[in-house]
């Protein structure tokens, strides 16, 4: 009971210290509110209002139908231009896409030939270029099929491909980016808070004061873990219910309490990592360098920014043991697909075991740094 009281009191001291750190409070408030909202609404990979022009040398009913099918919000209203206007329009960035329909296009379609349509794309924006090219190809294919069917032509394919998008039927990028921003912020803010708290104790000389008190290194570490973890859990709950669900209108498929439970387990690992880096670094600039070298690559390779399957096999095998990868995995399973505990229990177990191992390593490093003064 004495040990629990010490952990509780030291944790309350941490909360009071954090309350006086205005910069960190602003950082936490920004990261779990404006930062998430800005990442979801300010950056989008969706195709919106792309400028498109058409060189229609056929001027047939079919080309008019294709032109009318290029609709907002993906495309602006198509502009009819002549062939010599293509290069100046692309060079000045006036048009992102230019379609060229050759003379006799409709006749070739009805005759069963395969006429070519030239699609000029401004690929300086590579993501928009790829998405737009797929949109245009699908629109042309659909309009040709419908036009031929209305005229009784047999242009049907040997199979009908029906595509169904699960969990995000409209392919709204904000549904993905908002949750991924939240997940990344959990890792970064937890490491920063615990590491900064440890270094702050050392720089202010209060760490030595703690060590002459009847408290153990374990109690000091646990106090920092629960205090900073509590702040992050409250911020995550606020971000999910207020920013993501209410403001951004992102539907949460699964149980938020289950996700918060998994987040709590993950915070144990992230806090231990912050303390470990805090024992290695001698100042905040050194801590910042370690953060860049370790935490940022860990976030990038955890599957939230780049698919895990696209990484080299050896790197995949290593990253599957890192709790940040398991955190991304069960977060997506719960929040996107509505998974229950029976599905995510293995990720919970992995995060817990690795977190305990890292906490033991951080505790050993903490005791060594106290005894040697390094």
């Amino acid at each position: 009971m004495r040990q629990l009281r010490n952990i509780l009191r030291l944790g309350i001291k941490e909360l009071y210290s954090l309350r006086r750190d205005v910069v960190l409070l602003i950082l936490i408030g920004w990261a779990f509110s404006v930062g998430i909202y800005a990442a979801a609404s300010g950056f989008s990979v969706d195709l919106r209002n792309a400028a498109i022009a058409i060189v229609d040398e056929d001027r047939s009913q079919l080309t008019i139908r294709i032109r009318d099918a290029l609709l907002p919000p993906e495309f602006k209203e198509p502009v009819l231009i002549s062939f010599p206007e293509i290069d100046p329009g692309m060079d000045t960035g006036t048009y992102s896409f230019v379609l060229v329909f050759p003379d006799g296009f409709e006749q070739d379609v009805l005759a069963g030939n395969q006429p070519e349509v030239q699609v000029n794309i401004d690929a300086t924006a590579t993501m928009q270029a790829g998405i737009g090219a797929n949109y245009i190809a699908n629109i042309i294919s659909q309009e040709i099929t419908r036009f031929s069917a209305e005229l009784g032509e047999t242009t049907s394919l040997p199979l009908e491909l029906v595509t169904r998008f699960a969990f995000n039927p409209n392919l709204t990028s904000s549904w993905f980016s908002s949750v991924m921003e939240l997940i990344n912020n959990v890792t970064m803010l937890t490491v920063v808070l615990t590491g900064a708290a440890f270094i702050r104790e050392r720089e202010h000389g209060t760490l030595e004061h703690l060590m002459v008190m009847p408290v153990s290194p374990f109690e000091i570490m646990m106090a920092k873990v629960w205090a900073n973890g509590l702040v992050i859990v409250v911020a995550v709950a606020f971000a999910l219910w207020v920013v993501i669900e209410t403001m951004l209108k992102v539907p949460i498929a699964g149980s938020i309490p289950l996700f918060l439970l998994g987040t709590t387990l993950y915070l144990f690992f992230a806090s231990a990592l912050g303390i470990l880096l805090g024992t290695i670094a001698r100042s905040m600039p050194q801590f910042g360098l370690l953060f860049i070298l370790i935490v940022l690559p860990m976030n990038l390779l955890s599957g939230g920014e780049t698919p895990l399957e696209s990484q080299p096999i050896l790197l995949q095998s290593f990253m599957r043991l890192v709790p940040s990868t398991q955190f991304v995995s069960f977060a997506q399973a719960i929040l996107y697909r509505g998974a229950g505990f029976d599905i995510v229990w293995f990720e919970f177990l992995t995060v817990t075991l690795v977190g305990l191992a890292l906490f033991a390593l951080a505790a050993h490093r903490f005791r060594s740094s106290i005894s040697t003064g390094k």
Side-chain angles (χ1 to χ4, degrees):
M1 291 301 296
R2 183 184 64 82
Q3 191 176 54
L4 291 177
R5 284 196 300 268
N6 289 340
I7 292 173
L8 177 62
R9 291 166 180 169
L10 289 172
I12 294 174
K13 180 193 74 70
E14 287 293 326
L15 294 176
Y16 275 110
S17 298
L18 179 61
R19 189 184 66 175
R20 292 192 295 269
D21 197 327
V22 179
V23 174
L24 275 181
L25 288 177
I26 294 175
L27 178 62
I28 295 170
W30 173 275
F32 290 100
S33 57
V34 181
I36 294 175
Y37 187 86
S41 59
F43 173 76
S44 174
V45 297
D46 301 331
L47 185 69
R48 289 291 184 269
N49 298 318
I52 186 168
I54 295 178
V55 178
D56 191 355
E57 297 182 341
D58 191 38
R59 297 189 178 274
S60 61
Q61 183 182 356
L62 177 57
T63 57
I64 293 174
R65 289 182 57 152
I66 294 174
R67 183 184 67 194
D68 293 340
L70 298 168
L71 300 172
E74 288 81 15
F75 299 98
K76 294 181 179 178
E77 184 177 351
V79 179
L80 287 174
I81 62 174
S82 62
F83 198 88
E85 295 178 274
I86 296 178
D87 287 343
M90 297 289 287
D91 292 341
T92 58
T94 305
Y95 310 118
S96 299
F97 303 92
V98 177
L99 277 66
V100 180
F101 292 104
D103 186 22
F105 174 75
E106 181 180 297
Q107 293 180 359
D108 286 340
V109 170
L110 295 177
N113 300 326
Q114 294 183 341
E116 294 183 354
V117 177
Q118 183 184 104
V119 182
N120 300 277
I121 303 175
D122 180 1
T124 52
T126 55
M127 189 171 296
Q128 178 176 275
I131 297 174
N134 290 331
Y135 268 81
I136 292 171
N138 291 334
I139 289 172
I140 293 175
S141 176
Q142 291 172 4
E143 292 303 317
I144 289 176
T145 301
R146 292 171 184 169
F147 180 74
S148 301
E150 291 174 2
L151 297 179
E153 300 291 333
T154 57
T155 59
S156 59
L157 296 174
L159 58 88
E160 181 181 1
L161 182 64
V162 179
T163 303
R164 182 178 69 89
F165 295 101
F167 314 118
N168 190 356
N170 295 324
L171 299 181
T172 306
S173 62
S174 63
W175 290 19
F176 176 81
S177 57
S178 59
V179 175
M180 288 301 101
E181 184 71 12
L182 172 65
I183 292 172
N184 289 337
N185 288 347
V186 167
T187 301
M188 292 190 292
L189 265 296
T190 305
V191 174
V192 167
L193 282 179
T194 51
F198 187 86
I199 294 177
R200 184 171 56 235
E201 297 273 15
R202 176 184 293 156
E203 290 179 342
H204 293 172
T206 55
L207 185 60
E208 288 76 9
H209 296 166
L210 287 175
M211 297 314 302
V212 298
M213 297 174 62
V215 294
S216 66
F218 172 79
E219 294 169 355
I220 297 174
M221 289 182 58
M222 283 302 301
K224 295 183 183 300
V225 168
W226 83 256
N228 292 288
L230 176 63
V231 173
I232 296 297
V233 169
V234 172
V236 168
F238 170 82
L240 278 173
W241 274 309
V242 177
V243 180
I244 295 178
E245 272 198 314
T246 304
M247 298 177 64
L248 293 172
K249 308 296 182 183
V250 178
I252 302 299
S255 169
I256 291 181
L258 179 62
F259 171 70
L260 293 178
L261 172 62
T263 302
T264 303
L265 297 176
Y266 176 71
L267 290 178
F268 195 75
F269 159 80
S271 299
L273 178 60
I275 293 173
L276 179 62
L277 297 182
T279 60
I280 297 173
R282 311 308 301 174
S283 63
M284 282 303 295
Q286 289 184 11
F287 179 80
L289 291 175
L290 289 174
F291 182 89
I292 293 173
L293 291 175
I294 296 175
V295 180
L296 293 186
M298 186 177 71
N299 264 357
L300 291 174
L301 298 174
S302 62
E305 301 292 337
T306 57
L308 198 64
E309 294 77 10
S310 64
Q311 300 171 13
I313 300 299
L314 184 60
L315 184 59
Q316 286 186 43
S317 302
F318 173 75
M319 289 305 300
R320 292 187 192 279
L321 300 176
V322 179
S324 61
T325 304
Q326 304 297 332
F327 180 44
V328 171
S329 177
F330 74 68
Q332 292 180 341
I334 295 172
L335 300 179
Y336 292 149
R337 301 188 289 273
F341 182 77
D342 58 321
I343 294 178
V344 299
W345 69 268
F346 181 77
E347 286 84 355
F348 280 23
L349 180 62
T350 303
V351 168
T352 303
L353 294 178
V354 178
L356 288 173
L358 188 64
F359 186 84
L361 177 61
H364 174 72
R365 172 65 192 176
F366 183 32
R367 293 190 187 94
S368 299
S369 64
I370 292 173
S371 59
T372 60
K374 296 181 180 180

